[in-house]
Amino acid sequence: MKAGTWERTSWVAIAVFLMTASLILTKTGRDALFFQDEGLFDLPKAYIGIALLAGPTAFLTLFIMRRAGPRLARVIVPLVVATGLVWFSFEAQPGGGAFMTLFFMAVPLVFGVMFSLSWLLAADLLDHLQGSEVARPYSAIGAASIVGGILGGLSARILAPRIEPPLFLVLGGLVLAASAFVMMAAQSRYPIRPASADARTGPPEPHPIRALMGQRYVVILAMIAIAGSLTGVLIEFQFFLAAASSGNTGQENAALFANLYTVLNAGALLVQLLLVPELQKWIGVGGSLLVLPGALVAGATAMLASSSVLARSALRAAEGGLKSSVHRSNWEQAFLPIASAGRSIAKVLIDGLGARLGEGLAAGVLFVWLAGLGSADLVDLSTTWLNILLVGVALTWLGLSRRLGSLLDAAPARADEESARRWEVPIPDS
């Protein structure tokens, strides 16, 4: 990479590195607290709540972006969340219940929004790059995110026997605040030029959300987000089921989750460094997006033969590792063909709303199932039907990704034609 490109990439990489480390620390504390005293039975309620609140969260984010601009939103939102994490650490209690379930819901909602905003910083700072020049910077940013997950997991593993779970929330808040300050410094160093008045003249454009959802490409992206998140919940639930039925204490579960997150991110880093650049060179972004759903189809099929704790943990690690490496950097590049004026809106709606709808669908199924079990012993639960459903959803995801790949071939030309369109989404300098 050229010196200027490397410097811009480094700013984004550091911000994403810190945000991922914050997420791992926060999730370690949250999960260790929540999955005590039968908190697992509140998990479907949490996923349903996430789906119901995804819309308001996405539209609140769009409101903040419209009023303050994406650049200021990237700083304000993480600082507010960091403050909330520190406050919540003093109020958190082990187990489920309304208060803890609300917190469980809040973590993926707010971090999902923040990751969308932080990755859009890459599109902001690297907007001058063309075609294949984009692949290496995005791969480097993805690697930095994975390293953040590794160091966050290692830190949690070292600290788990020494501190109580609520203190992980304090650490997560402090690291998140550092990420916000890095993004603020990057944006100050590389201000953007406001759109000229001439660029905004001409016939009025349709409402940005209606215009975006009228594009087949955007609709396919949204459907993939729904299928991917539905698959992720089904895999994650089975891993949490294994943890909840293990009889571990809070600190033992903290160590378990920290071990998983460390292994997951270490494997993802190896894939990111050794495989992703060459893979994208051979099969492109569209082909690379087939890797994760294809692997999950194979893994879920294998789970039909054995649903042991080891098999569940391995599938969870594969899903999380490939999502953080091969899938993440290529998924972010899949948004680049969308005209820049509407890209931030599409990103928030698809990652913040579409993905949560998939989680809500999975949660509804799990809620009905658990409600029908009554007081059944968690250890004896059969999840064969979940694995059959998982195979079907993963196959749907795979088919949608193949369709997206064919649309990606024509996307650059279409984006060039639409690049002059200016939807009324203010993007101030700071």
Side-chain angles (χ1 to χ4, degrees):
M1 285 186 287
K2 298 178 181 179
T5 300
W6 173 249
E7 185 177 350
R8 289 168 180 257
T9 301
S10 297
W11 282 104
V12 183
I14 294 171
V16 174
F17 162 84
L18 292 170
M19 187 171 290
T20 306
S22 170
L23 174 62
I24 297 302
L25 291 168
T26 300
K27 286 176 64 177
T28 299
R30 180 203 67 173
D31 296 349
L33 286 165
F34 190 76
F35 293 106
Q36 295 183 53
D37 301 328
E38 298 186 345
L40 179 75
F41 285 94
D42 286 326
L43 184 59
K45 299 176 186 177
Y47 283 134
I48 292 173
I50 289 170
L52 293 175
L53 292 178
T57 302
F59 286 108
L60 176 61
T61 304
L62 291 176
F63 174 78
I64 295 172
M65 291 167 61
R66 184 175 290 274
R67 295 298 299 269
R71 286 196 154 203
L72 189 56
R74 289 189 193 108
V75 178
I76 292 176
V77 175
L79 289 178
V80 171
V81 173
T83 303
L85 287 174
V86 174
W87 170 81
F88 189 84
S89 69
F90 295 99
E91 306 294 332
Q93 298 294 329
F99 188 60
M100 289 300 297
T101 301
L102 283 172
F103 178 66
F104 190 96
M105 293 157 48
V107 170
L109 284 170
V110 297
F111 270 93
V113 166
M114 290 188 297
F115 273 112
S116 293
L117 292 173
S118 63
W119 274 92
L120 281 171
L121 178 62
D124 186 345
L125 299 189
L126 302 173
D127 193 51
H128 61 288
L129 299 181
Q130 301 293 327
S132 60
E133 295 177 324
V134 175
R136 190 168 295 277
Y138 270 78
S139 180
I141 295 168
S145 176
I146 295 168
V147 172
I150 293 174
L151 293 184
L154 286 174
S155 300
R157 181 65 185 88
I158 294 170
L159 293 172
R162 297 171 174 82
I163 66 175
E164 294 298 322
L167 284 179
F168 286 108
L169 307 181
V170 177
L171 294 175
L174 294 176
V175 177
L176 182 59
S179 175
F181 287 120
V182 170
M183 286 188 284
M184 182 172 63
Q187 293 175 159
S188 176
R189 184 174 180 83
Y190 301 105
I192 60 174
R193 182 171 58 85
S196 65
D198 293 339
R200 295 182 180 270
T201 60
E205 295 289 345
H207 190 278
I209 296 178
R210 289 197 298 269
L212 284 168
M213 297 313 296
Q215 299 177 29
R216 183 184 303 176
Y217 186 84
V218 176
V219 172
I220 295 293
L221 280 173
M223 293 174 67
I224 289 175
I226 293 172
S229 62
L230 202 163
T231 303
V233 168
L234 295 178
I235 293 172
E236 185 177 61
F237 175 82
Q238 295 201 54
F239 172 72
F240 284 151
L241 175 62
S245 59
S246 66
N248 289 341
T249 65
Q251 288 184 319
E252 288 171 339
N253 270 337
L256 171 66
F257 294 128
N259 285 338
L260 172 73
Y261 297 140
T262 301
V263 171
L264 184 155
N265 285 285
L269 180 61
L270 290 176
V271 173
Q272 183 75 19
L273 295 177
L274 301 178
L275 182 61
V276 170
E278 295 301 321
L279 188 66
Q280 189 168 323
K281 185 187 302 181
W282 295 335
I283 60 177
V285 174
S288 298
L289 288 173
L290 298 175
V291 173
L292 176 57
L296 295 184
V297 168
T301 302
M303 283 272 286
L304 291 173
S306 173
S307 293
S308 64
V309 174
L310 179 60
R312 291 172 179 175
S313 300
L315 186 60
R316 177 69 182 92
E319 186 262 346
L322 290 175
K323 180 182 290 185
S324 300
S325 55
V326 175
H327 189 74
R328 182 75 192 199
S329 59
N330 286 282
W331 177 249
E332 296 299 333
Q333 291 176 67
F335 284 87
L336 295 179
I338 302 173
S340 59
R343 190 181 299 141
S344 59
I345 298 175
K347 192 78 170 66
V348 171
L349 288 177
I350 291 172
D351 283 352
L353 179 57
R356 304 310 170 198
L357 290 177
E359 293 177 356
L361 290 173
V365 173
L366 293 173
F367 178 78
V368 172
W369 177 54
L370 289 177
L373 291 175
S375 58
D377 191 344
L378 294 177
V379 178
D380 298 328
L381 292 183
S382 172
T383 58
T384 301
W385 73 274
L386 279 179
N387 293 326
I388 295 173
L389 178 61
L390 180 58
V391 172
V393 176
L395 282 170
T396 302
W397 181 3
L398 185 63
L400 289 169
S401 296
R402 290 188 63 184
R403 179 58 180 156
L404 182 71
S406 65
L407 293 177
L408 269 169
D409 294 337
R414 185 169 62 251
D416 290 341
E417 294 171 1
E418 296 178 354
S419 61
R421 297 179 63 179
R422 302 295 300 182
W423 289 312
E424 295 297 323
V425 181
I427 306 178
D429 288 340
S430 60

